[in-house]
Amino acid sequence: MSANNRVVLAYSGGLDTSVAIGWIAEQTGAEVVTVSVDCGQGGEDLEVIRQRAIDCGAVEAYIADAKDEFAEEYCMLDLQANGLYMDAYPLVSALSRPLIVKHLVTAARQFDASVVAHGCTGKGNDQVRFENGITSLAPDVACLSPVRDLALTREFAINYANKHNLPIETTHHNPFSIDQNVWGRAIETGFLEDLWNAPTKDVYNYTDDPTYPPLPDEVVISFEKGIPVAIDGVKVTPLEAIVEMNRRAGAQGIGRIDIVEDRMVGIKSREIYEAPGAMALIEAHKELERVTMDREQARYKQRIALRWSELVYEGQWFSPLKRSLDAFIRDTQEYVTGDIRMVLHGGRAVVTGRKSETSLYDFNLATYDEGDSFDQSYAKGFIEITGLTSKLAAARDVKFGKGEAMPKLNLS
Ligand code: ARG
């Protein structure tokens, strides 16, 4: 790498990436530009992080407030898909990586850099998400992982930071590896690596203990084409909807997830998540789909959502197949408009009411009371026809003496 080359580094403000600034410069002779993206992770102010990057030796520090962008273009698509990896994980970290990649590429163009670096290890999914993303958006840009490729271990980082007097805490040791944004929080490592160990109270931050909940909280969420647009009649942006539901569902301990997950590299790992807003919104959205979506479209969508979630988990956000599935998912949302009433209490978000102008529910067809308009005589022929293949197969079983699974009539 020539001396005038620049490296753009995804910078969290933490120990590892703070050390990476100087370490990359030393090892490659390049100037380092940091990029920090706010996806609603809370914590330190972006300006504090920017100054730390400069103090650690960055020549430029790019910051982006991407909270609304993240909510609108990433979280909302997951909500419309009801996207859960392994039927459980609302893709919190997986969703944020492609957004960070977009800003990394923007910065690489702006500061004329030919390399992008990230602080991921060589064991996880995030390295794949970053590097696949970069390859998709900027095939001419190379990727560098100082932790994986330049032997930047935790111990090395502590010694380096002390030796160079970097303005970063090296003594405080967090037992967990945590990634968080407005869609949720992921907690791993430490004593959680023993699968039998139950999570302790200090693991959680977005949710209160559901064992001792406050009084039940009733909420009405209004959707337009699968996007929440109002809560209890007050208009909200997607970001506001998530923040508000994080607060209310979080207070009831909703959205705690404790699973063993299949990582891309083949490792099974223990993951704790908390995603109160995401899980409550998905619950509401699913029910509104049950009311408004055509049966066959809904069945097919479930399969699409499963594949979509796998693609997102596996760092294929910008892939052609993922984009085609996006189009399918968005198309299914045309009539997913209406209100869902839920009671949030003791770790659960339970739907208690639905209302929609675009509903496919027909009271007169469904009712067993006065006003029933369903002609029950149609059902007889319908059953004849749908049962015909089984009837033929059963008759053949009897003919070939294979009917023993059927109960014999005892007429004596
Ligand atoms: N296992 C989750 C995923 O792959 C979470 C990863 C979170 N990253 C972290 N550094 N804790 O999406």
Side-chain angles (χ1 to χ4, degrees), residues 62-77:
Y62 167 111
I63 50 174
D65 176 352
K67 292 192 288 290
D68 283 298
E69 188 184 4
F70 181 55
E72 285 161 22
E73 290 166 38
Y74 297 78
C75 305
M76 288 302 110
L77 198 51

Side-chain angles (χ1 to χ4, degrees), residues 175-176 178 180 185-189 191-192 198-207 256-257 270-274:
F176 308 119
I178 295 167
Q180 64 188 48
R185 198 164 164 265
I187 308 101
E188 56 189 27
T189 73
F191 75 93
L192 296 168
T200 45
K201 280 191 189 324
D202 59 321
V203 167
Y204 297 108
N205 181 255
Y206 284 13
T207 52
R256 290 187 172 185
I257 299 152
R270 165 81 170 288
E271 304 282 335
I272 308 288
Y273 300 105
E274 42 180 357

